Amino acid sequence: MRGGGQLSGGGPGRGVATGARSYAVPEEHLGRIYDHSLMMRILRYLRPETARVLVAALLLILFSLTSLAGPLITRIGIDHYIANGDAAGLLRICLAWFALLLIGGGLQYAQIVTMNLIGQRTMMRLRQEIYRHLQRLPISFYDRHPVGRLMTRVTNDVEVLNQLFTQGVVAIIGDLVTLLGIMIVLLVMDARIAFVTFAMLPFLFWFSIAFRSRVRHAFRDVRLALARINAYLQENLGGIAVIKAFRREARNDAEFDELNTDHRDAFLRSVRAFAVYFPLVELTQSVAIALILWYGGGLVIQDGLTFGALVAFIQYVGRFFRPIRDLSEKYNILQDAMASSERIFALLDREPEPDAPTTSPYVEAFDPQAAIRFERVSFSYDGKTPVLQEVSCEIAPGTTTAIVGATGSGKTTMISLLARFYDPTAGVISIGGIDTRKVPRAVLRRRMAIVEQDVFLFAGTIADNMRLWEPGISKERLAEAVATSHADVLIRRLPRGWEHPVMERGGSFSTGERQLLAFARALAFDPEILILDEATASVDTETEALIQDALRNLLRERTSIVIAHRLSTIRRADQILVVHHGRILERGTHAELLAQGGLYARLYRLQFRGEAGRSEGLGQSVD
Amino acid sequence: MLLPYLRHYRRTLALGLGAMLLATGATRLIPWILKLAIDALRNGASMETVARLGGAMIAAGAVGGLFLYLQRWLLISTSRRVEYDLRRDLFSHLQRLDLDFFARQRTGDLMAHFTNDLNALRDVAGPGIMYAATTMVMLVLSISLMVAIDPLLTLLSFAPYPLISVVTFFFGRAMYYRSRRVQDLFGLLSSRVQEDLGGVRVVRAYNQETRCAQRFAELNDAYLAANMSVARLRGTFIAAMSALAGSGMAIALLIGGRQVIAGELSLGALVALSAYLAELTWPVIAIGWVIGMIQRGASAAGRIERIRRAAPRIVSGPRRTPPASRLCFEGVSFRYPDAEVEALHDISFELAVGQTLGITGRTGSGKSTILKLILRFHDPTAGRILLGGHDLRGRDIGEIRRMIGYAPQDGLLFSRPLIENIAYGDPDRPREAIQETLARVRLGEEVAEFPAGLATLVGERGLTLSGGQRQRVSLARALLLEPRLLLLDDTLASVDAETEAEILANLRGYVAERTAVIVSHRISAIRAADWILVLDEGRILEQGTHESLVGQGGLYARIHRRQQLAAEIEEVE
Ligand SMILES: Nc1ncnc2c1ncn2[C@@H]1O[C@H](COP(=O)(O)OP(=O)(O)OP(=O)(O)O)[C@@H](O)[C@H]1O
Ligand SMILES: Nc1ncnc2c1ncn2[C@@H]1O[C@H](COP(=O)(O)OP(=O)(O)OP(=O)(O)O)[C@@H](O)[C@H]1O
Ligand SMILES: [Mg+2]
Ligand SMILES: [Mg+2]
């Protein structure tokens, strides 16, 4: 099956099978093909461009008229002037032709530019809509969807629509109108022969239907393969150091080859289908002409159909097929566009995270400088495994609360819930008595800053990363934040200081330096609630101690929540919560907890005994 | 750049072009048969003749269709295969480039090479070639027929065409640069999306959604403008081409007409000539289209070529490495390519087989850099690293890396099942070994509690695991290889004290069996090492065994004191 992360080689003793396809997350299921509603939905994006579309159509018509003038002028030139030996008249009409060519050129230029503008503007709107929509989807969505795949929606999938918008829509409408016009002309000329011609239409229709699903499935597979290629690239280009260290190059080549092959083969299927379809249309045309010749010839012989009429008819039949050929040329574009818009719409149809309205009465009443309460909060990421179970605690304003506990016990999850990256499955988190779900997220987070365990820096400059494009943060505030977090030493060392470029994910800084910068960023936002999740785990002990001292001042009037494994950093906390398997096992101050002699006391003794020399670390035993 | 790839398919391409000629020929037959039929009708032929001609027409249509099918299938499918080959080779090449190269790239932009830019190249290889060939054939056919009618007039009616080639030249160049800008912006757009989505938690935590959307919109505007500048250029060119082609016809009418009036040319010849000229209009416009496509392809090729030209500077040497080799740094200095200051300065130490080296020191002092040099992610700018008495640069890289188990500081995982992450370096390891390693890093019970156990799908970069879990998986990934040289970069920083103590205890025997370099901020992890380096600003500040360092009373002693301070306070209280 495509999608699902399957795992083979389950039995003991068997190796671990890897496969690039297997690592993909299940793809949103696309149902059967609904062309009509899909097309209507695509066309709806053109609505803001209605005026331009009309102008483009008008320009197209005008241009076609000027290009039709050529044969006419030639005829007039030959019949009226050359036949009469009128050289001056010939010159006149040729000059008129030149003028007409100029006008035609202008019209064509205007038409091309307008069509492109329509396409580009529509795509821009679509890209922006997808982007904004992505920003409103819940964080849990990002746990399941690789970034590379989402990127495909915003970039490559939208780009596919370009052809439809710039070459397709207007031209298709033009073709259809032409087709209709010629059909009428044919009917007026001779209904009998016209019907012979129209007899071909059901076949054409049938071909199109038959190929539609084949081509569409092929294109769906192409889009899926492309999304997987992007996801694979995104991840592996970011993890190149691990790849090299573990010498995965050859295996990755093979994995990538699977995806690449899928992509090629899906495309080849579409090429083959189309390679069959298009000649069939051609063949139908010659059959139609042959039929008319035969039937019309019979009419000429028996019924005295005029000869000229037959010739004219055959010429018109040629014209009748031209738009059909054009349409079938565009069929590919159309199917490709449909396949990618399906995925785009599947994404857009995902419900954004519900949020409280900004007009909510709680916005005014909300005070970040109030007690934070967890009331019997339970949570699970997957709906099955409980991660937090009935956690209750209160954090008084202006105090420092430390959360400690074994790895994987749910500490990070607690603060993710507080910041409303996720919402509890049961229980309530309130600030100042107001359920945080009743306050818009933006209001809740405005006075809150988090230093996450997993630091993220953006490509840009140091200053950009500190203030994150927030114009309100002054240089002084930045300087202060940087001094407190001891990132100033680092910045001073850099030749370009604040303007020093930061590589993607902060690649040119050491892990500890990255943490210092993320720390400084949190302080720069001058939060009332400061949340530190292992914020100095990769920082050396001396720097950590200096930060601790500097922070003490700063934290005086703020509420802070500190997660730390190094217990030395939290001894002074007003309250320490000991989390174990998703429950709060102990709570109290350092002294109280030590006196209790529970888990905390054990952890604490262990840590410091280890460092005081009674146990041994790694390496060969010393004795 | 495309040529070697196309050459590989030259037979298919030749067949495809042949099919194209036949297809063109067969479809050209139809009007001719039609003419025959009409003439026959006019001469009062029987229905039978007409029917036969109709049959011939259908046959011509069928044959034409068949060759059209072959033409499309052979030519277009080749372009898809070429695209596949290019993508495969590009990925393969990219994977083998230095880390220094990646440090300067943006992932989104690199990704754009694999999609957007390759598409442009594929368009050249497929429709580009097909239409160029069709156009050429039509041009040659029509021109030779015209010359047969009247060489002089043909020449005159082609008077505007030199102009066309000048226009084409400038158009081509401008198209190249403008396409390049579009492609670069596409790369930027894709990088921006990649980062904003990758850092989505930061964006949300700091309420920057609107600003990010704004920044994205600005980039979008620039992208639109660049695309429109290409569209205007293309519009100008196509319009100019069709006007010029039309002028050719007007000139033919004017001059040819005068010749007819002067009695130098027959009217029939003029009419025929005009007809051929009219047929040329479309191919001439198609030239513009094909040139635009080729220029777009050329600028995309330029972008891709930049990657393909990048050669890894860290290349493998020929020398094999004996199993037991001592590691030795001799006055090693290192500066990152774009950095002003040295990350390491004059580092020397020796590590005998089976010994453990501990490294600690300030943040940013170069600890991780030492490990990266041992892995040969970079080469020293001065000094030498010797393995078994020979410079690392002369040794086989694959072999060196195979003997190393590395747990990087950030513990990056991949979004695949947990078991594949653990067995990342060697997917053929038996299950028992995996279980044993899991137990060693104290992950066994936790994994057993996961509903899907070892098959649990890990989120991108490992983000659906807790920080400590991620670090331990990364540690397990290195341990599973049972390497001869173990490099651990602060691997227990996000693990609680109890788990840490247990893991350290579990590892003691394991580490004793092999050579190890252990970086840590926690004294507990390195105190038992045979030799300890204390780094500061890329230099060795102190070195020695734990006891001697504590005795020296320097930075190490201070860190040590600080880390045990609390314990002492406790004892005092
Ligand atoms: N996004 C996620 N999706 C699914 N499960 C998750 C996710 N994040 C964490 N978990 C799981 O929830 C549990 C608690 O994780 P959490 O990150 O809260 O631990 P923690 O106490 O912060 O641990 P650590 O000290 O290692 O950082 C772990 O078992 C983890 O695997
Ligand atoms: N790719 C890079 N390009 C430029 N400079 C770099 C790069 N990587 C690291 N540096 C710089 O080199 C120095 C040493 O970095 P390294 O990662 O070795 O430090 P570290 O001792 O491991 O620190 P930490 O304790 O924070 O992990 C730092 O000043 C860092 O900013
Ligand atoms: Mg955590
Ligand atoms: Mg480091």
Side-chain angles (χ1 to χ4, degrees):
Chain A
M1 262 310 290
R2 304 185 162 271
Q6 88 262 49
L7 184 80
S8 44
R14 293 274 305 278
V16 180
T18 50
R21 290 190 192 98
S22 72
Y23 99 110
V25 196
E27 186 60 22
E28 54 268 37
H29 180 70
L30 299 170
R32 45 167 299 205
I33 296 166
Y34 284 116
D35 276 350
H36 182 67
S37 48
L38 194 60
M39 197 62 213
M40 290 322 284
R41 189 155 173 198
I42 298 176
L43 288 181
R44 227 176 296 147
Y45 281 87
L46 278 178
R47 195 172 294 157
E49 307 293 327
T50 315
R52 282 198 184 85
V53 171
L54 290 179
V55 168
L58 187 69
L59 287 168
L60 186 65
I61 293 169
L62 288 177
F63 168 68
S64 310
L65 286 181
T66 62
S67 56
L68 278 183
L72 196 70
I73 289 178
T74 311
R75 221 184 73 206
I76 298 176
I78 291 173
D79 289 356
H80 290 244
Y81 302 109
I82 298 179
N84 301 335
D86 180 359
L90 185 64
L91 183 64
R92 248 184 290 123
I93 195 158
C94 283
L95 286 179
W97 194 356
F98 282 122
L100 212 56
L101 282 172
L102 275 181
I103 296 173
L107 287 171
Q108 192 178 18
Y109 171 81
Q111 184 247 338
I112 290 176
V113 171
T114 316
M115 297 243 271
N116 272 283
L117 194 60
I118 294 167
Q120 293 294 336
R121 283 175 53 96
T122 312
M123 287 196 303
M124 181 169 95
R125 271 199 309 277
L126 194 56
R127 263 196 302 270
Q128 242 134 271
E129 183 179 341
I130 303 170
Y131 181 92
R132 276 197 226 104
H133 188 74
L134 281 170
Q135 293 284 20
R136 288 165 58 221
L137 288 176
I139 292 284
S140 57
F141 175 81
Y142 290 87
D143 290 344
R144 281 175 284 112
H145 294 264
V147 168
R149 207 176 265 198
L150 302 177
M151 287 168 69
T152 316
R153 302 284 176 284
V154 188
T155 56
N156 307 98
D157 283 346
V158 174
E159 208 66 22
V160 169
L161 296 178
N162 183 24
Q163 282 195 319
L164 178 67
F165 288 135
T166 51
Q167 302 174 17
V169 176
V170 175
I172 288 175
I173 294 171
D175 286 340
L176 286 176
V177 170
T178 318
L179 196 60
L180 209 69
I182 292 178
M183 283 172 79
I184 293 171
V185 172
L186 288 180
L187 276 174
V188 170
M189 280 178 66
D190 188 317
R192 289 168 303 178
I193 310 188
F195 281 118
V196 175
T197 316
F198 298 161
M200 294 295 126
L201 285 178
F203 289 103
L204 287 174
F205 203 66
W206 181 63
F207 294 152
S208 305
I209 299 289
F211 282 100
R212 180 185 66 171
S213 86
R214 193 157 317 162
V215 173
R216 179 75 63 77
H217 283 298
F219 275 126
R220 276 182 176 178
D221 292 347
V222 168
R223 302 319 307 171
L224 177 63
L226 187 73
R228 286 192 181 155
I229 285 179
N230 265 341
Y232 193 81
L233 286 172
Q234 204 270 134
E235 207 178 10
N236 285 279
L237 296 179
I240 192 76
V242 177
I243 290 172
K244 284 184 182 292
F246 287 84
R247 300 184 312 107
R248 280 287 294 215
E249 291 97 335
R251 266 179 215 283
N252 282 1
D253 277 345
E255 287 184 354
F256 187 67
D257 197 49
E258 274 180 44
L259 301 178
N260 200 8
T261 307
D262 280 354
H263 182 254
R264 181 196 61 194
D265 290 349
F267 247 136
L268 288 184
R269 258 178 284 143
S270 84
V271 172
R272 184 176 289 252
F274 195 62
V276 173
Y277 173 69
F278 193 64
L280 275 180
V281 175
E282 290 274 319
L283 181 62
T284 316
Q285 178 179 4
S286 54
V287 170
I289 295 179
L291 271 180
I292 292 166
L293 193 63
W294 175 73
Y295 182 70
L299 288 183
V300 170
I301 295 169
Q302 291 154 19
D303 290 1
L305 175 76
T306 70
F307 199 73
L310 179 63
V311 172
F313 217 98
I314 290 177
Q315 277 173 358
Y316 273 112
V317 171
R319 296 222 167 166
F320 174 70
F321 273 92
R322 192 179 298 161
I324 290 180
R325 271 172 54 178
D326 287 352
L327 280 175
S328 54
E329 278 280 18
K330 300 208 175 68
Y331 201 59
N332 236 3
I333 297 178
L334 193 68
Q335 292 303 326
D336 200 2
M338 299 275 221
S340 53
S341 53
E342 268 179 338
R343 331 199 114 244
I344 292 175
F345 292 145
L347 178 65
L348 288 179
D349 286 342
R350 274 175 186 280
E351 277 299 309
E353 217 172 13
D355 202 0
T358 40
T359 51
S360 142
Y362 296 104
V363 174
E364 284 292 302
F366 180 73
D367 174 18
Q369 288 275 35
I372 302 171
R373 286 173 61 101
F374 278 60
E375 289 166 59
R376 305 170 70 97
V377 170
S378 298
F379 180 71
S380 159
Y381 283 99
D382 56 5
K384 285 181 293 207
T385 346
V387 171
L388 292 182
Q389 296 174 52
E390 306 234 328
V391 167
S392 300
C393 62
E394 175 154 351
I395 297 165
T399 65
T400 297
T401 296
I403 307 179
V404 301
T407 127
S409 56
K411 306 179 293 295
T412 303
T413 307
M414 277 178 72
I415 60 165
S416 292
L417 291 182
L418 178 58
R420 288 198 66 203
F421 288 148
Y422 306 89
D423 280 333
T425 27
V428 174
I429 301 173
S430 61
I431 297 182
I434 299 175
D435 185 342
T436 50
R437 275 172 294 196
K438 295 196 174 123
V439 195
R441 286 193 180 74
V443 173
L444 174 71
R445 292 172 185 158
R446 195 176 296 149
R447 307 306 312 144
M448 198 184 267
I450 310 182
V451 183
E452 289 203 89
Q453 205 167 6
D454 191 61
V455 168
F456 191 95
L457 298 182
F458 293 89
T461 65
I462 295 217
D464 285 345
N465 267 291
M466 296 294 97
R467 62 159 79 101
L468 291 177
W469 321 288
E470 184 79 55
I473 297 178
S474 64
K475 265 256 136 74
E476 291 74 47
R477 178 115 67 84
L478 282 189
E480 208 177 306
V482 160
T484 311
S485 66
H486 275 261
D488 55 345
V489 189
L490 166 69
I491 296 175
R492 234 175 287 133
R493 247 197 359 236
L494 301 170
R496 290 169 67 188
W498 287 107
E499 297 309 313
H500 189 82
V502 177
M503 300 296 156
E504 222 167 74
R505 287 189 174 257
S508 57
F509 291 103
S510 86
T511 312
E513 289 167 344
R514 264 178 259 163
Q515 278 200 325
L516 297 184
L517 292 175
F519 205 130
R521 173 200 287 161
L523 297 182
F525 276 73
D526 192 20
E528 265 140 19
I529 302 173
L530 180 66
I531 300 173
L532 305 174
D533 189 358
E534 294 277 356
T536 49
S538 303
V539 175
D540 66 277
T541 312
E542 286 220 317
T543 310
E544 187 178 45
L546 291 173
I547 296 176
Q548 291 277 315
D549 291 341
L551 261 187
R552 202 163 311 141
N553 242 337
L554 204 122
L555 287 184
R556 201 147 288 153
E557 277 130 44
R558 297 167 212 255
T559 312
S560 61
I561 300 175
V562 183
I563 298 178
H565 287 307
R566 288 196 216 163
L567 302 184
S568 59
T569 55
I570 50 132
R571 276 198 337 259
R572 289 199 186 80
D574 300 296
Q575 174 187 220
I576 298 173
L577 306 173
V578 185
V579 184
H580 191 67
H581 279 296
R583 294 172 194 277
I584 295 186
L585 208 65
E586 297 165 17
R587 67 187 82 205
T589 62
H590 177 70
E592 287 164 12
L593 288 177
L594 272 193
Q596 268 181 34
L599 179 62
Y600 181 81
R602 200 167 84 236
L603 278 177
Y604 190 77
R605 296 244 155 72
L606 197 71
Q607 195 165 15
F608 292 106
R609 193 155 28 98
E611 266 134 34
R614 257 164 269 156
S615 99
E616 278 146 67
L618 282 183
Q620 289 198 302
S621 46
V622 230
D623 43 26
Chain B
M1 186 184 126
L2 209 51
L3 278 182
Y5 287 91
L6 289 175
R7 200 169 298 139
H8 185 245
Y9 295 101
R10 57 182 176 274
R11 203 163 300 150
T12 322
L13 282 175
L15 282 176
L17 290 176
M20 183 206 82
L21 280 179
L22 292 175
T24 318
T27 38
R28 277 296 150 98
L29 272 177
I30 295 178
W32 182 69
I33 298 175
L34 190 63
K35 190 171 148 280
L36 282 185
I38 290 174
D39 287 349
L41 267 178
R42 203 196 311 252
N43 298 337
S46 67
M47 270 316 285
E48 210 172 305
T49 326
V50 173
R52 210 176 303 129
L53 283 169
M57 197 181 276
I58 293 176
V63 171
L66 180 68
F67 285 114
L68 197 60
Y69 163 76
L70 284 177
Q71 167 200 338
R72 277 190 178 264
W73 170 245
L74 293 173
L75 291 182
I76 307 282
S77 72
T78 301
S79 75
R80 299 296 177 179
R81 291 177 207 278
V82 167
E83 177 193 5
Y84 161 86
D85 294 346
L86 278 165
R87 186 176 284 124
R88 180 197 57 208
D89 291 353
L90 189 61
F91 182 71
S92 190
H93 176 73
L94 201 56
Q95 274 202 97
R96 282 158 183 86
L97 289 179
D98 296 341
L99 287 174
D100 286 342
F101 173 84
F102 288 94
R104 286 189 298 270
Q105 305 300 318
R106 304 204 43 189
T107 311
D109 188 45
L110 285 180
M111 289 168 70
H113 286 81
F114 283 86
T115 54
N116 208 35
D117 295 341
L118 278 189
N119 283 353
L121 273 182
R122 178 236 294 156
D123 282 348
V124 175
I129 289 185
M130 197 165 87
Y131 289 116
T134 322
T135 310
M136 289 315 277
V137 170
M138 282 172 74
L139 273 177
V140 170
L141 265 179
S142 311
I143 292 176
S144 39
L145 285 171
M146 284 163 67
V147 171
I149 295 170
D150 186 338
L152 185 68
L153 191 55
T154 309
L155 206 64
L156 280 174
S157 53
F158 275 96
Y161 283 57
L163 200 59
I164 291 184
S165 59
V166 173
V167 172
T168 306
F169 178 73
F170 286 107
F171 163 75
R173 286 178 50 128
M175 198 65 185
Y176 179 89
Y177 291 112
R178 294 192 191 185
S179 308
R180 183 59 181 261
R181 177 154 172 74
V182 169
Q183 285 154 358
D184 287 346
L185 277 169
F186 183 88
L188 210 57
L189 203 71
S190 140
S191 308
R192 183 66 58 76
V193 178
Q194 194 244 345
E195 279 218 301
D196 288 355
L197 298 186
V200 68
R201 286 173 70 108
V202 176
V203 171
R204 304 261 171 112
Y206 290 95
N207 270 327
Q208 298 297 313
E209 293 99 321
T210 337
R211 288 224 173 68
C212 279
Q214 236 163 37
R215 268 160 39 100
F216 183 70
E218 282 162 22
L219 200 54
N220 249 323
D221 282 340
Y223 185 60
L224 181 130
N227 267 307
M228 283 315 294
S229 95
V230 167
R232 276 194 301 273
L233 190 63
R234 190 182 302 130
T236 314
F237 189 67
I238 291 180
M241 287 304 252
S242 46
L244 281 174
S247 325
M249 284 165 67
I251 290 176
L253 181 65
L254 183 61
I255 298 180
R258 281 166 180 265
Q259 281 178 329
V260 173
I261 294 172
E264 292 158 12
L265 188 74
S266 81
L267 188 61
L270 177 62
V271 172
L273 205 89
S274 299
Y276 285 121
L277 270 177
E279 291 224 338
L280 272 182
T281 317
W282 162 239
V284 168
I285 297 173
I287 291 178
W289 193 67
V290 169
I291 287 178
M293 192 183 258
I294 289 178
Q295 291 301 335
R296 203 163 65 89
S299 67
R303 272 168 58 86
I304 292 176
E305 199 54 30
R306 196 182 52 91
I307 295 182
R308 288 162 46 98
R309 257 206 314 273
R313 259 178 298 145
I314 306 225
V315 286
S316 193
R319 198 177 268 280
R320 313 298 305 254
T321 312
S325 308
R326 72 194 283 116
L327 179 72
C328 180
F329 271 53
E330 277 186 5
V332 170
S333 298
F334 176 69
R335 195 165 58 80
Y336 282 99
D338 295 325
E340 303 267 314
V341 285
E342 285 185 331
L344 290 177
H345 183 76
D346 197 18
I347 304 286
S348 302
F349 64 81
E350 262 189 57
L351 183 60
V353 177
Q355 284 201 321
T356 301
L357 176 73
I359 306 180
T360 189
R362 287 230 170 78
T363 292
S365 56
K367 303 180 291 297
S368 304
T369 307
I370 289 186
L371 300 189
K372 289 179 192 159
L373 291 185
I374 299 176
L375 280 156
R376 267 201 93 196
F377 284 170
H378 311 278
D379 279 337
T381 33
R384 300 194 297 166
I385 302 172
L386 303 176
L387 190 64
H390 281 282
D391 196 315
L392 219 49
R393 277 173 280 210
R395 295 219 179 264
D396 184 285
I397 290 195
E399 212 176 40
I400 296 175
R401 291 186 183 152
R402 194 172 316 141
M403 60 184 273
I404 293 178
Y406 172 52
Q409 200 167 5
D410 57 4
L412 177 105
L413 305 182
F414 295 94
S415 61
R416 17 174 109 228
L418 197 56
I419 187 167
E420 288 186 19
N421 268 296
I422 296 170
Y424 192 68
D426 184 2
D428 302 321
R429 296 298 295 198
R431 282 257 173 169
E432 296 80 52
I434 293 175
Q435 292 294 353
E436 191 189 332
T437 308
L438 278 183
R440 194 167 267 148
V441 298
R442 280 276 326 249
L443 211 55
E445 288 162 35
E446 254 162 292
V447 169
E449 277 171 27
F450 290 163
L454 272 173
T456 305
L457 203 61
V458 174
E460 243 181 349
R461 306 194 135 243
L463 285 186
T464 52
L465 295 179
S466 86
Q469 286 167 346
R470 201 182 327 146
Q471 275 203 325
R472 284 176 291 150
V473 174
S474 155
L475 180 59
R477 184 169 64 185
L479 296 182
L480 184 72
L481 297 176
E482 308 205 328
R484 268 181 280 127
L485 176 55
L486 188 64
L487 306 181
L488 303 183
D489 196 351
D490 211 7
T491 12
L492 295 175
S494 308
V495 170
D496 62 287
E498 192 176 11
T499 315
E500 181 192 12
E502 285 179 41
I503 296 176
L504 286 178
N506 288 344
L507 280 187
R508 206 165 297 139
Y510 184 92
V511 167
E513 286 170 10
R514 46 207 97 222
T515 319
V517 181
I518 295 167
V519 173
S520 180
H521 286 300
R522 297 195 198 170
I523 300 289
S524 56
I526 54 167
R527 50 174 298 135
D530 299 287
W531 197 250
I532 296 171
L533 303 180
V534 184
L535 299 187
D536 190 21
E537 304 208 339
R539 289 159 206 269
I540 297 183
L541 195 67
E542 299 159 17
Q543 55 184 318
T545 60
H546 176 71
E547 277 70 29
S548 72
L549 285 172
V550 170
Q552 276 179 32
L555 178 62
Y556 187 87
R558 282 210 304 282
I559 296 174
H560 181 238
R561 196 156 352 101
R562 227 180 247 290
Q563 290 188 354
Q564 66 173 156
L565 191 64
E568 283 166 7
I569 292 173
E570 222 51 59
E571 277 159 27
V572 171
E573 274 170 6

